[in-house]
Amino acid sequence: MNKLKMKVDLNGLTLNNPITVASGTYGFGREYSEIIDLNQIGAISVKGLTLEPREGNEGRRMVETPMGMINSVGLQNPGIRFFIENEITFLRQFDTKIIANINGNTIDEYCKMAKILSDEDVDSIELNISCPNVKNGGLAFGTNPKIVREVVSKVRKACKKHLIVKLSPNVTDIKTIARITEEEGADCISLINTMAGMAIDIHNRKPFLKRVSGGLSGPAIKPIALKMVYDVHSVVSIPVLGMGGISNTTDAIEFILAGASAVAIGTANFSNPYAPLEIKKGIEDYMRHYGHVDFNTLIGDLRM
Amino acid sequence: MNKLKMKVDLNGLTLNNPITVASGTYGFGREYSEIIDLNQIGAISVKGLTLEPREGNEGRRMVETPMGMINSVGLQNPGIRFFIENEITFLRQFDTKIIANINGNTIDEYCKMAKILSDEDVDSIELNISCPNVKNGGLAFGTNPKIVREVVSKVRKACKKHLIVKLSPNVTDIKTIARITEEEGADCISLINTMAGMAIDIHNRKPFLKRVSGGLSGPAIKPIALKMVYDVHSVVSIPVLGMGGISNTTDAIEFILAGASAVAIGTANFSNPYAPLEIKKGIEDYMRHYGHVDFNTLIGDLRM
Amino acid sequence: MKFVGKAKLLKKQIINEENFRFVIKRSDEMGCVYPGQFFNVSASKVGYPMLKRPISVSDVGEDTIEFTIKIIGEGTRAMLDYNEGEAVELMGPLGNGFEYGGYRKILVIGGGIGIAPLKGLINSLKKTEVEIHSVLGYRDAPYLYEDFAANSAICEIVSENDEQYNRGYVTDPVKKMLESEVYDMIYVCGPYPMLKNLTDLFNSKGFRAQLLMEEKMACGIGACLVCTCKTKNGDFGFKHSRMCKDGPMFYSDEVIFDE
Amino acid sequence: MKFVGKAKLLKKQIINEENFRFVIKRSDEMGCVYPGQFFNVSASKVGYPMLKRPISVSDVGEDTIEFTIKIIGEGTRAMLDYNEGEAVELMGPLGNGFEYGGYRKILVIGGGIGIAPLKGLINSLKKTEVEIHSVLGYRDAPYLYEDFAANSAICEIVSENDEQYNRGYVTDPVKKMLESEVYDMIYVCGPYPMLKNLTDLFNSKGFRAQLLMEEKMACGIGACLVCTCKTKNGDFGFKHSRMCKDGPMFYSDEVIFDE
Ligand SMILES: Cc1cc2nc3c(=O)[nH]c(=O)nc-3n(C[C@H](O)[C@H](O)[C@H](O)COP(=O)(O)OP(=O)(O)OC[C@H]3O[C@@H](n4cnc5c(N)ncnc54)[C@H](O)[C@@H]3O)c2cc1C
Ligand SMILES: Cc1cc2nc3c(=O)[nH]c(=O)nc-3n(C[C@H](O)[C@H](O)[C@H](O)COP(=O)(O)OP(=O)(O)OC[C@H]3O[C@@H](n4cnc5c(N)ncnc54)[C@H](O)[C@@H]3O)c2cc1C
Ligand SMILES: Cc1cc2nc3c(=O)[nH]c(=O)nc-3n(C[C@H](O)[C@H](O)[C@H](O)COP(=O)(O)O)c2cc1C
Ligand SMILES: Cc1cc2nc3c(=O)[nH]c(=O)nc-3n(C[C@H](O)[C@H](O)[C@H](O)COP(=O)(O)O)c2cc1C
Ligand code: FES
Ligand code: FES
């Protein structure tokens, strides 16, 4: 069997292989480390961090929908300090890259977190701009091109690490937002975050989630995510980390052919904790079958 | 058994009951009339009409995705003249309302169609603003608030019938667009149209659809549609015709509680042609169970 | 007459690694069922995958209908999980099947699972006096050939990989047969490239055939327009005909093949 | 030790209209399985519904595990379609089960399907010398009570609708028993309102119980934080504990019930 080259460089962040796990679905890796070998995963994006610890939303936090789920966790996390003191060393045991997913209420909070993490042992910072912007009526940072420009440019200045910007799919024109992100100095773009979704309990006549709506993830949104990855890849030259409903090898290869340099597995971990490893092997099999020696030759290799 | 009042008034269009079928999924009713009793359906929105006949897109037009399907029919239809001469009389045999779904390349085309149909025997005109705007680089009319204002206001002037405006979900802010639609004189808003989606054949490395992407419909998008219906209902006072993945009674009631005055069944007809009738009966059972005599008391009846 | 509902699975039979057979209870509401017609069959009891799968009738009995199904993807794989005695949700018969009245000598050409609907055809013909020539093509070992072997004056079998049979594609024997024989009608079902190559052959030699075509379907009855193929319209024009409603049988001189 | 994979369904047994029993082959990789722990079970072979369903162990044998399942929605209904002999995809054992070492006299209180995990508990206790009092509540006719009746010094059964039994809720007999008896530990599993009402009762009377709680789950192992419940933290604070990982067993004085 040929030796395949699976290493991929996300513009300054080199992964052993293109399989990563998505923020918020993997905690800080502890639980899944009891089930699978984390050394086999290219990178782990940790649970979204905030400056201060957060207890997250009250009441029911999840409702399943056809081939999807809506979550309303509300960024429950132990805060950036706890992460630095307790989680980094644990994750460093494994030969995988650490991506710190950061979340702010204000641009200032984002910058503070980027600055703090710049001096810590993480490999990349993932700026999650789907957070509600406290100063702008709670609309997500990532839905307004002007605010995207401002937050990315300021965080870029504060951040000495590899910087990924994670885009919200709840927008009219993802291309414009991706272009701005690139212009302001992001090293890589990840997408998509969850889509706004809702479900109602028809018997007690309330939304299942206390916050009314939440974020839809899983196979249901895959076609939408794939289209957005394709669109973004067509307008930027920085690498794209694709995600949104990827559950099996075919899904992952679709994203890679559409232009993703690497993929993240999120919701699929819940139904199949082996998904990242199965997909990694599946991509290798596919490469062998079609005579690819270097994974990089697969990226964006659509024949239109 | 109590007699239930199922009639609902969509601001000038009175339906015998709140169950309608979605444009493009029901042709002109001929095929389904062989299977179910169209008299039982509140309204039929016919296949999207254009000024001239269209043969639609070439190549493969559909790909199934997890609990959804992406279509790329490309508005194949016999043209508005043929519709008027051949289809209206057929549909008039049934005690159901006829909604003429119109599609233009330019605002002028929309207006022409609205004018022509104003003198014909249809009950309502549904302005589909998800069409690509030829003068604006092919971006959909419905994604740009300024253009929405222009097209709705002009069509309103040209249209002497009940006017429904059908919104595209591929936008950052559906509320603003809905408000504009109301301001410019729409009698009713229908939503959602399909979401932009894509699927790739990993073996021949081409998108399954010749046009690369198409419109995603079905249960997969239901949580997104429900959220948008809820959002729109919260900002307009004209009635909302809700759709997007409705497949069973529970789905339909969710939309109604979220604020839809009536619902449309689309993709679900394909897996279950009886869906509209089953859902109608299901709503009646639900009303009886919870002591509603008049369907109108159910609309928007969330307890927050 | 179209039946929409549940019908009992009387028998499930594994043919080989890739193919299996369903014998379904036929109900009166189905009316007449003709070879070449199909049913839209629910892939699983849980409603996933969402869309029903079009499956041709591969035989019709007094009160049974037979389907022969090849495992292709998740839908057909899921179907294999129905148990005998359970109800299968389906809709049909759908589409226009073969026209076969009055022909005396016919050629049937099937490729792979495309042989299934032809089996229904020749079993409908048996009773009348028709001379049947068959050409069956396989990738590997032949299956579903018994009824053809028993009822055909000539039955040619080719396989791409099975050395016991003539290696190659159906086009090879068909070419020869068209040179020496005269047929009242030719019936073809098989993969797209086979249909296309044979149609080129027929057109060049002035033959006309009935092709049973395939396309992804949603409604199955002609309402949604996702299953179209290009057919001739006027001298230079084309139209998009619905595979499910205007077909799945098309005459070889009607269809415009792409690429 | 967590097993992730497929295990054979050895026996499927219909209990009544709403409930059924699965006996699954237990594999060494599952390690020890304790009462109150659960498995995350795939609802169907086609992968729909998407998320696995948490199901408590209702008994553990030498090389078997028993689940008792109530049909609630599409997931549990789909499970009923597994055939004996087939493989069921699952993951477990998960969570923290009951603590039961060293108690001499216990009270177990179950409501509806919540009785299932308690059955596993009392069957683990049998061998030791524990006096068991049981209170079982049903909406309709009792089921799953046999092991309790056989092994309990007192076994009270109440039903909301079945006239053969004392009508009402478990709280009625429990109230009385708490007045006359002293228990080393109380174990409770049942619907949310029952847990809440009993907890109020325990708190007011100074008892402490082990509650087996329920919440919608995704990962089942503590990574996704969708299954939290409020628990006490410090004197006035609270935290969101993970039902799947920190529970599903919580002590009654830890939990903060909402509304
Ligand atoms: C009129 C008609 C009659 C028919 N009669 C019969 C019959 O009698 N018997 C019969 O067996 N069949 C018949 N068929 C064909 C049958 O309907 C299809 O084989 C069936 O619908 C396939 O469904 P599936 O879910 O198994 O496969 P699908 O899931 O639809 O997959 C089809 C193929 O695409 C592949 N695929 C999926 N996603 C990707 C991707 N991203 N990239 C690359 N490849 C991908 C799958 O692996 C598979 O090979 C008929 C079809 C028609 C239209
Ligand atoms: C730790 C733990 C252990 C458990 N142990 C057991 C056990 O041993 N045995 C057991 O039987 N169960 C057990 N459960 C419960 C079991 O997991 C659930 O019953 C199961 O997950 C339900 O899945 P479902 O798909 O059948 O129902 P779901 O589809 O999840 O539906 C749940 C309910 O919601 C309703 N519903 C769905 N949509 C709507 C809507 N829009 N409006 C109103 N209502 C709606 C459904 O009809 C149904 O009544 C346990 C749960 C946990 C957390
Ligand atoms: C339970 C849950 C929690 C999530 N939390 C975060 C988060 O903290 N930060 C973030 O950027 N994305 C978060 N996401 C989004 C995922 O990282 C991912 O972008 C999204 O789920 C789409 O991928 P998937 O469909 O494969 O899950 C979360 C998703 C889920 C399901
Ligand atoms: C095959 C197909 C064709 C469609 N054609 C049209 C159309 O011509 N005009 C239109 O306004 N919407 C069209 N739609 C969108 C539907 O009317 C509906 O808005 C959408 O499918 C969401 O509802 P559903 O998920 O219930 O199908 C089409 C949808 C499908 C699936
Ligand atoms: S499948 Fe709908 S028209 Fe053929
Ligand atoms: S289900 Fe994921 S933390 Fe409990």
Side-chain angles (χ1 to χ4, degrees), chain A residues 270, chain D residues 216-228 242-245:
Chain A
F270 307 153
Chain D
K216 295 285 165 192
M217 293 183 179
C219 73
I221 58 172
C224 73
L225 307 179
V226 306
C227 68
T228 52
R242 298 160 300 179
M243 209 78 96
C244 65
K245 174 90 178 176

PDB file of all heavy atoms in Angstrom, chain A residues 270, chain D residues 216-228 242-245, ligand 6:
ATOM      1  N   PHE A 270     -22.025  12.493  17.750  1.00  0.00           N
ATOM      2  CA  PHE A 270     -23.031  12.043  18.715  1.00  0.00           C
ATOM      3  C   PHE A 270     -23.630  10.711  18.281  1.00  0.00           C
ATOM      4  O   PHE A 270     -23.854   9.830  19.102  1.00  0.00           O
ATOM      5  CB  PHE A 270     -24.142  13.083  18.885  1.00  0.00           C
ATOM      6  CG  PHE A 270     -23.634  14.463  19.228  1.00  0.00           C
ATOM      7  CD1 PHE A 270     -24.358  15.593  18.881  1.00  0.00           C
ATOM      8  CD2 PHE A 270     -22.418  14.642  19.872  1.00  0.00           C
ATOM      9  CE1 PHE A 270     -23.907  16.868  19.191  1.00  0.00           C
ATOM     10  CE2 PHE A 270     -21.941  15.916  20.188  1.00  0.00           C
ATOM     11  CZ  PHE A 270     -22.685  17.037  19.840  1.00  0.00           C
TER      12      PHE A 270
ATOM     13  N   LYS D 216     -33.316  15.129  27.388  1.00  0.00           N
ATOM     14  CA  LYS D 216     -32.912  14.831  26.007  1.00  0.00           C
ATOM     15  C   LYS D 216     -31.392  14.842  25.926  1.00  0.00           C
ATOM     16  O   LYS D 216     -30.746  15.733  26.471  1.00  0.00           O
ATOM     17  CB  LYS D 216     -33.474  15.883  25.053  1.00  0.00           C
ATOM     18  CG  LYS D 216     -34.987  15.881  24.966  1.00  0.00           C
ATOM     19  CD  LYS D 216     -35.495  14.703  24.157  1.00  0.00           C
ATOM     20  CE  LYS D 216     -36.989  14.500  24.378  1.00  0.00           C
ATOM     21  NZ  LYS D 216     -37.495  13.226  23.857  1.00  0.00           N
ATOM     22  N   MET D 217     -30.837  13.876  25.242  1.00  0.00           N
ATOM     23  CA  MET D 217     -29.378  13.767  25.152  1.00  0.00           C
ATOM     24  C   MET D 217     -28.901  13.707  23.712  1.00  0.00           C
ATOM     25  O   MET D 217     -29.636  13.303  22.818  1.00  0.00           O
ATOM     26  CB  MET D 217     -28.923  12.501  25.864  1.00  0.00           C
ATOM     27  CG  MET D 217     -29.142  12.563  27.365  1.00  0.00           C
ATOM     28  SD  MET D 217     -28.508  11.091  28.162  1.00  0.00           S
ATOM     29  CE  MET D 217     -28.885  11.493  29.879  1.00  0.00           C
ATOM     30  N   ALA D 218     -27.655  14.088  23.530  1.00  0.00           N
ATOM     31  CA  ALA D 218     -27.044  13.944  22.203  1.00  0.00           C
ATOM     32  C   ALA D 218     -25.833  13.033  22.322  1.00  0.00           C
ATOM     33  O   ALA D 218     -25.899  11.862  21.984  1.00  0.00           O
ATOM     34  CB  ALA D 218     -26.693  15.304  21.626  1.00  0.00           C
ATOM     35  N   CYS D 219     -24.709  13.537  22.871  1.00  0.00           N
ATOM     36  CA  CYS D 219     -23.491  12.723  22.916  1.00  0.00           C
ATOM     37  C   CYS D 219     -23.599  11.574  23.910  1.00  0.00           C
ATOM     38  O   CYS D 219     -23.014  10.514  23.707  1.00  0.00           O
ATOM     39  CB  CYS D 219     -22.267  13.592  23.222  1.00  0.00           C
ATOM     40  SG  CYS D 219     -22.165  14.160  24.937  1.00  0.00           S
ATOM     41  N   GLY D 220     -24.279  11.793  25.029  1.00  0.00           N
ATOM     42  CA  GLY D 220     -24.419  10.763  26.052  1.00  0.00           C
ATOM     43  C   GLY D 220     -23.215  10.571  26.946  1.00  0.00           C
ATOM     44  O   GLY D 220     -23.242   9.729  27.855  1.00  0.00           O
ATOM     45  N   ILE D 221     -22.135  11.332  26.719  1.00  0.00           N
ATOM     46  CA  ILE D 221     -20.910  11.100  27.493  1.00  0.00           C
ATOM     47  C   ILE D 221     -20.362  12.356  28.167  1.00  0.00           C
ATOM     48  O   ILE D 221     -19.284  12.318  28.750  1.00  0.00           O
ATOM     49  CB  ILE D 221     -19.796  10.485  26.615  1.00  0.00           C
ATOM     50  CG1 ILE D 221     -19.473  11.391  25.416  1.00  0.00           C
ATOM     51  CG2 ILE D 221     -20.189   9.099  26.147  1.00  0.00           C
ATOM     52  CD1 ILE D 221     -18.256  10.942  24.625  1.00  0.00           C
ATOM     53  N   GLY D 222     -21.068  13.470  28.031  1.00  0.00           N
ATOM     54  CA  GLY D 222     -20.624  14.652  28.767  1.00  0.00           C
ATOM     55  C   GLY D 222     -19.916  15.709  27.941  1.00  0.00           C
ATOM     56  O   GLY D 222     -19.423  16.697  28.491  1.00  0.00           O
ATOM     57  N   ALA D 223     -19.894  15.548  26.627  1.00  0.00           N
ATOM     58  CA  ALA D 223     -19.117  16.477  25.800  1.00  0.00           C
ATOM     59  C   ALA D 223     -19.922  17.646  25.248  1.00  0.00           C
ATOM     60  O   ALA D 223     -19.380  18.716  25.005  1.00  0.00           O
ATOM     61  CB  ALA D 223     -18.468  15.725  24.643  1.00  0.00           C
ATOM     62  N   CYS D 224     -21.217  17.482  25.047  1.00  0.00           N
ATOM     63  CA  CYS D 224     -21.952  18.484  24.268  1.00  0.00           C
ATOM     64  C   CYS D 224     -22.775  19.453  25.111  1.00  0.00           C
ATOM     65  O   CYS D 224     -23.233  20.480  24.624  1.00  0.00           O
ATOM     66  CB  CYS D 224     -22.844  17.804  23.227  1.00  0.00           C
ATOM     67  SG  CYS D 224     -24.300  16.992  23.916  1.00  0.00           S
ATOM     68  N   LEU D 225     -22.996  19.105  26.366  1.00  0.00           N
ATOM     69  CA  LEU D 225     -23.692  19.991  27.314  1.00  0.00           C
ATOM     70  C   LEU D 225     -25.144  20.309  26.954  1.00  0.00           C
ATOM     71  O   LEU D 225     -25.654  21.366  27.327  1.00  0.00           O
ATOM     72  CB  LEU D 225     -22.911  21.310  27.479  1.00  0.00           C
ATOM     73  CG  LEU D 225     -21.438  21.177  27.856  1.00  0.00           C
ATOM     74  CD1 LEU D 225     -20.798  22.553  27.969  1.00  0.00           C
ATOM     75  CD2 LEU D 225     -21.284  20.410  29.159  1.00  0.00           C
ATOM     76  N   VAL D 226     -25.817  19.416  26.268  1.00  0.00           N
ATOM     77  CA  VAL D 226     -27.224  19.704  25.975  1.00  0.00           C
ATOM     78  C   VAL D 226     -28.169  19.107  27.024  1.00  0.00           C
ATOM     79  O   VAL D 226     -29.352  19.397  27.016  1.00  0.00           O
ATOM     80  CB  VAL D 226     -27.673  19.210  24.569  1.00  0.00           C
ATOM     81  CG1 VAL D 226     -26.771  19.752  23.488  1.00  0.00           C
ATOM     82  CG2 VAL D 226     -27.799  17.701  24.499  1.00  0.00           C
ATOM     83  N   CYS D 227     -27.654  18.280  27.934  1.00  0.00           N
ATOM     84  CA  CYS D 227     -28.541  17.484  28.795  1.00  0.00           C
ATOM     85  C   CYS D 227     -28.475  17.930  30.241  1.00  0.00           C
ATOM     86  O   CYS D 227     -28.655  17.120  31.141  1.00  0.00           O
ATOM     87  CB  CYS D 227     -28.145  16.022  28.717  1.00  0.00           C
ATOM     88  SG  CYS D 227     -26.534  15.728  29.472  1.00  0.00           S
ATOM     89  N   THR D 228     -28.243  19.191  30.473  1.00  0.00           N
ATOM     90  CA  THR D 228     -27.961  19.615  31.840  1.00  0.00           C
ATOM     91  C   THR D 228     -29.213  19.759  32.701  1.00  0.00           C
ATOM     92  O   THR D 228     -30.313  19.961  32.205  1.00  0.00           O
ATOM     93  CB  THR D 228     -27.247  20.971  31.837  1.00  0.00           C
ATOM     94  OG1 THR D 228     -27.994  21.885  31.040  1.00  0.00           O
ATOM     95  CG2 THR D 228     -25.854  20.835  31.270  1.00  0.00           C
ATOM     96  N   ARG D 242     -24.248  17.802  34.003  1.00  0.00           N
ATOM     97  CA  ARG D 242     -24.623  16.980  32.853  1.00  0.00           C
ATOM     98  C   ARG D 242     -25.346  15.725  33.319  1.00  0.00           C
ATOM     99  O   ARG D 242     -24.770  14.903  34.020  1.00  0.00           O
ATOM    100  CB  ARG D 242     -23.368  16.604  32.064  1.00  0.00           C
ATOM    101  CG  ARG D 242     -22.646  17.799  31.507  1.00  0.00           C
ATOM    102  CD  ARG D 242     -21.216  17.472  31.162  1.00  0.00           C
ATOM    103  NE  ARG D 242     -20.463  17.018  32.340  1.00  0.00           N
ATOM    104  CZ  ARG D 242     -19.196  16.654  32.313  1.00  0.00           C
ATOM    105  NH1 ARG D 242     -18.528  16.697  31.179  1.00  0.00           N
ATOM    106  NH2 ARG D 242     -18.580  16.245  33.411  1.00  0.00           N
ATOM    107  N   MET D 243     -26.574  15.599  32.891  1.00  0.00           N
ATOM    108  CA  MET D 243     -27.375  14.445  33.241  1.00  0.00           C
ATOM    109  C   MET D 243     -26.672  13.139  32.838  1.00  0.00           C
ATOM    110  O   MET D 243     -26.735  12.151  33.549  1.00  0.00           O
ATOM    111  CB  MET D 243     -28.691  14.565  32.469  1.00  0.00           C
ATOM    112  CG  MET D 243     -29.839  13.954  33.120  1.00  0.00           C
ATOM    113  SD  MET D 243     -30.461  15.009  34.421  1.00  0.00           S
ATOM    114  CE  MET D 243     -31.771  15.878  33.606  1.00  0.00           C
ATOM    115  N   CYS D 244     -26.023  13.153  31.685  1.00  0.00           N
ATOM    116  CA  CYS D 244     -25.463  11.907  31.143  1.00  0.00           C
ATOM    117  C   CYS D 244     -24.179  11.483  31.850  1.00  0.00           C
ATOM    118  O   CYS D 244     -23.904  10.298  31.977  1.00  0.00           O
ATOM    119  CB  CYS D 244     -25.203  12.040  29.644  1.00  0.00           C
ATOM    120  SG  CYS D 244     -23.934  13.248  29.211  1.00  0.00           S
ATOM    121  N   LYS D 245     -23.419  12.471  32.301  1.00  0.00           N
ATOM    122  CA  LYS D 245     -22.083  12.157  32.801  1.00  0.00           C
ATOM    123  C   LYS D 245     -22.029  12.312  34.316  1.00  0.00           C
ATOM    124  O   LYS D 245     -21.507  11.460  35.020  1.00  0.00           O
ATOM    125  CB  LYS D 245     -21.073  13.111  32.147  1.00  0.00           C
ATOM    126  CG  LYS D 245     -19.660  13.026  32.664  1.00  0.00           C
ATOM    127  CD  LYS D 245     -18.845  12.035  31.895  1.00  0.00           C
ATOM    128  CE  LYS D 245     -17.419  12.017  32.413  1.00  0.00           C
ATOM    129  NZ  LYS D 245     -16.621  10.990  31.743  1.00  0.00           N
TER     130      LYS D 245
HETATM  131  S1  FES E   6     -25.742  14.404  26.177  1.00  0.00           S
HETATM  132 FE1  FES E   6     -23.924  15.489  25.710  1.00  0.00          FE
HETATM  133  S2  FES E   6     -23.352  16.247  27.663  1.00  0.00           S
HETATM  134 FE2  FES E   6     -25.020  14.962  28.103  1.00  0.00          FE
END
